[in-house]
């Protein structure tokens, strides 16, 4: 659209230059007309002299003298008026040309630059739309990844329940060890443990050692599982932190122009829309200036059209005078012919007057044709100028509406972007703080080390693979195992029905948790 306005401005300047050339042509024609009227002035003087010398009672040439003077004065006045109108017309054309040239000189480069910038902004918005669509697809994939990580975090947190369960089993084993150490009466024991009172001392020692070895292994495996799950939880949380930072960064790269992520609550700076809005605002300012210049130019064009109309009336008056002068010359020639030799001199003057009249007619016709052609060009210029003016006004109105939309969209975008980046930063800080506080696996490792140091000596006091030890362990703990890892630990040390129970259980509890 701005390219069209620039082209219209160049066309208007070319049309005004053509009108200026038409004015110069008319000036030359009016100069010829003035010269002819000057010749008529000389003929009028000569006619007066010749008419005085004629002695005829029947023919009175005083009327001819008066009429030729009157027509001469009218022609001279009309010509002078036409020349004056032409001078004013040329001044108006020159002023219009100067105004168009000044605007083109001062603003043509800016108009072209704004057009290029607006096209660049449009291309940028198109690219941003494509990038946003791609980002939306990536964000959908990222949402799936985040969901998987959150599910992983939930699964990692569930291992704490299994660890607590293992520690509970270890606590139960410690209670059994206490019973084995005190040798209580069968009546004092729970019904399912009364058989412990019937064990001999050697078997009691071997069973206690086996229980200690089993709980050392259980505690170690529980610590390893928990440490691994905590590390996995940390990895998932760290990945979520990276996801939050990546989402904020991508949003800033896509919609904002700031190179650094702001802190929560800070201004995020300008955006792509802000740059486009600035370009539109500059174009709108230049367009208003174009409209103001076009208003002045249209006034000049109307003035030029009126000037051509006035010149047309002047030339029409000259042609009317020319017709009267030709009829008067013909009448005088006829009279002089009847007078014979006495009217020969005045007849020659009358014939010359008729000849001048024909030349005046030719020049006036040429001037009329030039005026009509120039008037047509001025009319077309006026029509095109009016159409261009409406286009510029409509474009200005559309750009004003676009500016309002861009401002509202920019405000909404900046608010949404600020909220998004603030939320992402808050999530990143919270997750980072959570990761920093996840040091329980180190404390559990230290606790496991102390537990092993205290229980390991007791595990060496007896023969853990003595006869019936595996059966006694199954009898004590098999029903407490709900996790596959617990049963496998027991089976690896002592074998027995725990492995069979594991196969029969088919890992349903573990499948539920993991």
């Amino acid at each position: 659209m701005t390219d069209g306005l620039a082209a219209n401005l160049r066309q208007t300047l070319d049309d005004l230059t053509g009108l200026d050339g038409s004015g110069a042509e008319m000036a030359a024609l009016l100069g010829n007309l003035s010269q002819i009227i000057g010749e008529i002035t000389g003929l009028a003087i000569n006619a007066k002299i010749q008419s005085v010398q004629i002695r005829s009672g029947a023919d009175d040439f005083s009327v001819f003298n008066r009429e030729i003077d009157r027509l001469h004065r009218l022609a001279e006045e009309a010509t002078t008026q036409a020349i004056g109108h032409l001078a004013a017309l040329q001044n108006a054309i020159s002023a219009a040309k100067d105004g168009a040239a000044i605007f083109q000189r001062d603003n043509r480069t800016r108009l072209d630059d704004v057009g290029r910038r607006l096209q660049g902004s449009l291309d940028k918005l198109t690219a941003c739309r494509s990038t946003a669509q791609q980002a939306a697809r990536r964000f959908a994939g990222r949402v799936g990844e985040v969901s998987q990580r959150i599910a992983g975090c939930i699964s990692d947190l569930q291992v704490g329940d299994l660890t607590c369960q293992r520690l509970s089993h270890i606590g139960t084993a410690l209670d059994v060890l206490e019973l084995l150490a005190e040798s209580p009466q069968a009546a004092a024991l729970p019904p399912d443990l009364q058989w412990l009172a019937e064990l001999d001392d050697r078997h009691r020692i071997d069973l206690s050692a086996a229980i200690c070895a089993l709980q050392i292994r259980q505690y170690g495996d529980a610590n390893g599982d928990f440490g691994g799950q905590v590390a996995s939880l940390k990895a998932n949380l760290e990945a979520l932190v990276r996801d939050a930072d990546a989402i904020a960064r991508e949003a800033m790269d896509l919609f904002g122009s700031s190179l650094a992520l702001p802190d929560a609550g800070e201004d995020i700076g300008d955006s792509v829309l802000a740059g486009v809005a600035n370009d539109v605002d500059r174009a709108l300012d230049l367009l208003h200036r174009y409209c103001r210049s076009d208003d002045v130019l249209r006034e000049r064009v109307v003035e030029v059209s009126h000037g051509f109309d006035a010149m047309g009336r002047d030339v029409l008056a000259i042609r009317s005078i020319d017709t009267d002068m030709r009829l008067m010359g013909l009448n005088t020639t006829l009279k002089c012919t009847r007078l014979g030799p006495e009217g020969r001199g005045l007849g020659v003057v009358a014939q010359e007057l008729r000849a001048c009249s024909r030349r005046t007619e030719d020049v006036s016709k040429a001037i009329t044709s030039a005026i009509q052609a120039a008037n047509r060009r001025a009319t077309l210029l006026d029509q095109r100028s009016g159409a261009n003016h409406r286009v510029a006004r409509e474009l200005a109105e559309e750009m004003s509406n676009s500016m309002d939309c861009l401002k509202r969209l920019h405000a909404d975008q900046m608010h949404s972007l600020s909220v998004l980046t603030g939320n992402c930063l808050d999530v990143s800080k919270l997750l980072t703080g959570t990761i920093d506080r996840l040091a329980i696996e180190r404390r559990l490792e230290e606790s496991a080390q102390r537990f092993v140091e205290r229980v390991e000596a007791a595990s060496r006091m007896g023969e853990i693979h003595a006869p019936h030890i595996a059966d006694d362990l199954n009898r004590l703990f098999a029903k407490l195992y709900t996790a596959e890892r617990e049963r496998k630990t027991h089976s690896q040390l002592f074998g027995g029905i725990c492995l069979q129970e594991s196969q029969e259980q088919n890992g349903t509890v573990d499948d539920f948790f993991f």
Side-chain angles (χ1 to χ4, degrees), residues 54 56 99 128 156 249 257 268 310 493 500 512:
I54 295 175
S56 175
C128 283
D156 293 337
R249 172 61 64 186
S257 61
I268 60 173
L493 278 176
Q500 297 174 0
F512 172 78

Side-chain angles (χ1 to χ4, degrees), residues 394-468:
E394 291 172 358
L395 180 59
E397 184 176 357
E398 290 177 359
M399 292 181 72
S400 297
N401 295 334
S402 299
M403 275 297 298
D404 294 337
C405 292
L406 284 173
K407 288 178 180 178
R408 290 194 299 270
L409 183 58
H410 178 247
D412 293 341
Q413 185 190 85
M414 291 297 98
H415 175 71
S416 299
L417 187 56
S418 178
V419 171
L420 174 62
T421 54
N423 290 340
C424 288
L425 289 172
D426 290 340
V427 169
S428 179
K429 289 179 181 179
L430 290 173
L431 290 176
T432 302
T434 301
I435 293 170
D436 293 339
R437 290 191 293 269
L438 282 177
I440 189 173
E441 78 279 8
R442 292 194 296 269
R443 296 195 299 271
L444 185 60
E445 182 69 30
E446 296 170 357
S447 175
Q449 185 64 31
R450 291 194 301 270
F451 179 83
V452 171
E453 291 174 355
R454 294 180 182 181
V455 180
E456 192 172 15
S459 68
R460 297 194 186 99
M461 294 176 63
E463 176 58 44
I464 64 174
H465 297 292
H468 307 297

Side-chain angles (χ1 to χ4, degrees), residues 161-422:
D161 297 334
L162 298 179
T163 301
C164 291
Q165 179 178 306
R166 280 191 168 185
L167 294 177
S168 176
H169 295 172
I170 293 172
T172 302
L174 293 176
D175 292 339
V176 172
L177 287 175
E178 184 180 3
L179 294 176
L180 291 174
E182 294 178 352
S183 302
Q185 297 295 320
L189 296 174
D192 58 336
L193 295 179
Q194 289 180 357
W195 60 275
L196 294 177
E198 301 173 359
L199 299 177
D200 58 41
D201 291 340
R202 182 68 260 173
H203 195 84
R204 190 187 302 272
I205 293 172
D206 292 340
L207 182 58
S208 298
I211 291 174
C212 289
L214 177 61
Q215 300 314 314
I216 288 174
R217 178 68 68 85
Q218 290 278 22
Y219 202 100
D221 289 347
N223 177 65
D225 290 345
F226 189 78
Q229 296 300 327
V230 170
S232 176
L233 177 61
K234 277 188 175 182
N236 281 325
L237 292 177
E238 289 171 350
L240 288 174
V241 171
R242 291 193 296 272
D243 287 336
D245 292 340
I247 290 172
R249 172 61 64 186
E250 190 167 7
M252 288 298 301
D253 291 340
L254 183 60
F255 297 108
S257 61
S258 177
L259 296 179
L261 283 174
D263 292 331
E266 288 187 359
D267 184 13
I268 60 173
D270 291 334
S271 69
V272 175
L273 285 180
V276 174
N278 289 334
D279 290 339
V280 174
D281 192 38
R282 284 192 289 269
L284 187 58
D285 177 68
L286 186 59
L287 194 58
H288 285 312
R289 193 178 307 174
Y290 176 91
C291 290
R292 290 192 297 270
S293 175
D294 191 61
D295 287 335
V296 176
L297 187 60
R298 278 185 53 76
E299 292 177 1
R300 300 298 185 191
V301 170
V302 172
E303 185 178 347
V304 168
S305 296
H306 291 168
F308 281 126
D309 291 339
M311 281 193 64
R313 291 191 295 271
D314 294 336
V315 174
L316 185 63
I318 292 173
R319 294 186 65 180
S320 176
I321 295 170
D322 178 68
T323 300
D324 293 342
M325 191 176 296
R326 190 163 54 252
L327 291 174
M328 184 186 66
L330 178 61
N331 188 27
T332 303
T333 301
L334 294 174
K335 288 183 179 181
C336 290
T337 300
R338 290 196 301 268
L339 293 176
E342 187 178 0
R344 185 177 300 170
L346 184 58
V348 172
V349 174
Q351 290 178 357
E352 288 295 326
L353 185 63
R354 290 171 60 196
C356 287
S357 175
R358 285 192 294 271
R359 290 167 58 197
T360 303
E361 182 182 14
D362 294 338
V363 173
S364 62
K365 285 182 178 180
I367 295 175
T368 300
S369 298
I371 290 174
Q372 290 174 349
N375 213 1
R376 286 193 297 270
R377 177 177 288 182
T379 301
L380 291 175
L381 175 59
D382 183 44
Q383 292 174 351
R384 186 168 54 253
S385 177
N388 295 339
H389 189 74
R390 287 191 298 273
V391 169
R393 290 294 183 188
E394 291 172 358
L395 180 59
E397 184 176 357
E398 290 177 359
M399 292 181 72
S400 297
N401 295 334
S402 299
M403 275 297 298
D404 294 337
C405 292
L406 284 173
K407 288 178 180 178
R408 290 194 299 270
L409 183 58
H410 178 247
D412 293 341
Q413 185 190 85
M414 291 297 98
H415 175 71
S416 299
L417 187 56
S418 178
V419 171
L420 174 62
T421 54

Side-chain angles (χ1 to χ4, degrees), residues 12-45:
T12 299
L13 191 57
D14 292 341
D15 288 342
L16 288 172
T17 301
L19 288 175
D20 196 15
S22 298
E25 180 183 354
M26 292 177 201
L29 292 173
L30 285 173
N32 292 336
L33 187 59
S34 297
Q35 183 179 0
I36 294 172
I37 292 173
E39 294 177 6
I40 292 174
T41 302
L43 290 174
I45 295 172

Side-chain angles (χ1 to χ4, degrees), residues 8-187:
N8 292 336
L9 185 61
R10 288 193 298 271
Q11 183 63 46
T12 299
L13 191 57
D14 292 341
D15 288 342
L16 288 172
T17 301
L19 288 175
D20 196 15
S22 298
E25 180 183 354
M26 292 177 201
L29 292 173
L30 285 173
N32 292 336
L33 187 59
S34 297
Q35 183 179 0
I36 294 172
I37 292 173
E39 294 177 6
I40 292 174
T41 302
L43 290 174
I45 295 172
N46 193 5
K48 289 180 181 180
I49 295 173
Q50 294 294 332
S51 63
V52 171
Q53 296 175 358
I54 295 175
R55 298 290 183 264
S56 175
D59 296 309
D60 185 7
F61 292 97
S62 62
V63 176
F64 170 75
N65 293 331
R66 290 195 301 272
E67 283 299 309
I68 196 173
D69 284 340
R70 182 180 69 82
L71 293 176
H72 165 259
R73 286 194 301 273
L74 289 176
E76 190 174 35
E77 290 174 359
T79 303
T80 303
Q81 190 170 356
I83 292 173
H85 285 150
L86 179 61
L89 184 62
Q90 288 179 314
N91 290 333
I93 294 175
S94 179
K97 277 181 59 181
D98 291 342
I102 290 173
F103 182 83
Q104 186 179 44
R105 182 191 65 210
D106 295 343
N107 298 286
R108 168 65 190 279
T109 302
R110 292 183 60 192
L111 195 62
D112 291 341
D113 180 64
V114 166
R116 287 192 297 269
R117 291 176 68 90
L118 287 176
Q119 184 61 49
S121 298
L122 180 61
D123 295 340
K124 187 186 298 182
L125 285 177
T126 303
C128 283
R129 182 178 63 182
S130 176
T131 305
Q133 291 172 346
Q134 297 174 4
R137 291 191 289 268
R138 289 196 302 272
F139 186 77
R142 193 182 297 278
V143 169
E145 296 174 0
V146 170
S147 299
Q148 292 178 356
R149 290 195 177 98
I150 293 175
C153 290
I154 294 174
S155 177
D156 293 337
L157 290 173
Q158 288 175 344
V159 79
D161 297 334
L162 298 179
T163 301
C164 291
Q165 179 178 306
R166 280 191 168 185
L167 294 177
S168 176
H169 295 172
I170 293 172
T172 302
L174 293 176
D175 292 339
V176 172
L177 287 175
E178 184 180 3
L179 294 176
L180 291 174
E182 294 178 352
S183 302
Q185 297 295 320

